[in-house]
Amino acid sequence: MLEVTVRVGANQMVIHPSVIRDEQAYVLVDTGMPDCHGPITKLLTEAGFDSLAPYSIIVTHQDVDHIGGLPEFQGEGVDVYAHTDDQPYIDGLKPLIKFSGEMKTRLLTSLPQNLAAAFESAFSGKVKNVTRLLEDGEKLPFGGGLTVIHTPGHTPGHICLYHEPSKTLIAGDAMVVENGKLQGPRSTATPDMKTALASLRKLQAYPIDTVICYHGGLFQGDVHAVIEQLTESL
């Protein structure tokens, strides 16, 4: 798990992309905002990752703080994985659900010209960003085994990833950690809260020791009890 501080307008927030290492390569889960390539690459180097090693990218969903860094991380031979239901948005064929024209303008004007141009080009609908489509229950070979869990609600194609060898759940934005407590998705950023909470029930099928939330970081505790409490009103 990485910890990256990003600027959002006049504010800052901390995000937690994840990295899964194999012997010869690694997988980056989510890419941060458009100016996150440098900080993420620096953290990878400090953690002992070879910056020239082959890698793939898995995107948990379409939100701009997860896909914004994609243009700089993409390159020849880099596969980008995302769920089928979010692919049209990540490829720029549909506008991002929670990213208005006004928000886009504010973001682009805050970026250096080269990053703004790369962002506009990547999400113009003329570039195929997603090279591999994911489905619910699919098992990926990375890091000894990753299971894709489709958890819609926060976005239509939101996914969590379960790393079986370490019993770790990469939750994306399906849950957050606030003040050390595991909580459901933020209602202000979740268009379909009922579906998002119902999706959490799917996680009960997995023995989970650790959760990595993109917002809030690590949680270790009785994950199943928390999920039961979050979904008891459904």
Side-chain angles (χ1 to χ4, degrees), residues 6-234:
V6 300
R7 182 170 54 86
V8 183
N11 302 313
Q12 289 186 331
M13 69 175 177
V14 177
I15 58 173
H16 297 87
S18 298
V19 187
I20 299 136
R21 187 201 299 258
D22 282 326
E23 288 185 9
Q24 303 297 328
Y26 64 91
V27 179
L28 175 65
V29 182
D30 292 326
T31 64
M33 295 291 283
D35 55 355
C36 282
H37 179 266
I40 289 176
T41 301
K42 182 174 183 290
L43 289 172
L44 289 172
T45 301
E46 290 173 352
F49 289 85
D50 181 355
S51 62
L52 299 179
Y55 64 92
S56 300
I57 296 169
I58 301 176
V59 178
T60 59
H61 62 291
Q62 61 173 278
D63 285 352
V64 70
D65 58 327
H66 294 253
I67 67 169
L70 202 52
E72 288 192 284
F73 279 103
Q74 284 175 293
E76 186 176 351
V78 177
D79 276 321
V80 177
Y81 295 72
H83 190 271
T84 302
D85 291 347
D86 266 12
Q87 172 267 327
Y89 303 92
I90 299 169
D91 278 350
L93 301 173
K94 293 182 179 180
L96 301 178
I97 291 174
K98 292 172 274 182
F99 194 56
S100 67
E102 181 182 350
M103 294 170 69
K104 180 180 178 181
T105 298
R106 286 204 306 266
L107 173 65
L108 293 177
T109 55
S110 72
L111 295 173
Q113 187 173 1
N114 63 319
L115 290 182
F119 184 91
E120 284 205 279
S121 175
F123 303 109
S124 64
K126 299 176 182 178
V127 178
K128 185 176 177 60
N129 295 314
V130 179
T131 62
R132 300 287 186 91
L133 295 176
L134 297 173
E135 299 290 346
D136 185 40
E138 186 173 349
K139 294 188 183 298
L140 303 174
F142 307 122
L146 273 182
T147 301
V148 177
I149 309 169
H150 183 210
T151 47
H154 187 72
T155 69
H158 187 285
I159 60 169
C160 296
L161 298 165
Y162 179 68
H163 184 241
E164 185 173 354
S166 65
K167 297 182 179 178
T168 296
L169 180 78
I170 300 173
D173 286 357
M175 293 184 284
V176 301
V177 175
E178 293 185 353
N179 299 317
K181 295 182 178 180
L182 186 64
Q183 301 183 11
R186 290 172 177 163
S187 59
T188 54
T190 304
D192 189 346
M193 194 67 172
K194 184 176 181 180
T195 297
L197 291 175
S199 291
L200 296 181
R201 287 180 168 169
K202 298 171 73 171
L203 306 178
Q204 297 287 53
Y206 300 87
I208 301 169
D209 289 341
T210 302
V211 180
I212 300 175
C213 295
Y214 198 70
H215 301 286
L218 283 178
F219 176 83
Q220 292 178 312
D222 193 339
V223 177
H224 296 291
V226 174
I227 293 174
E228 185 65 31
Q229 185 177 26
L230 289 170
T231 60
E232 63 183 359
S233 63
L234 296 177

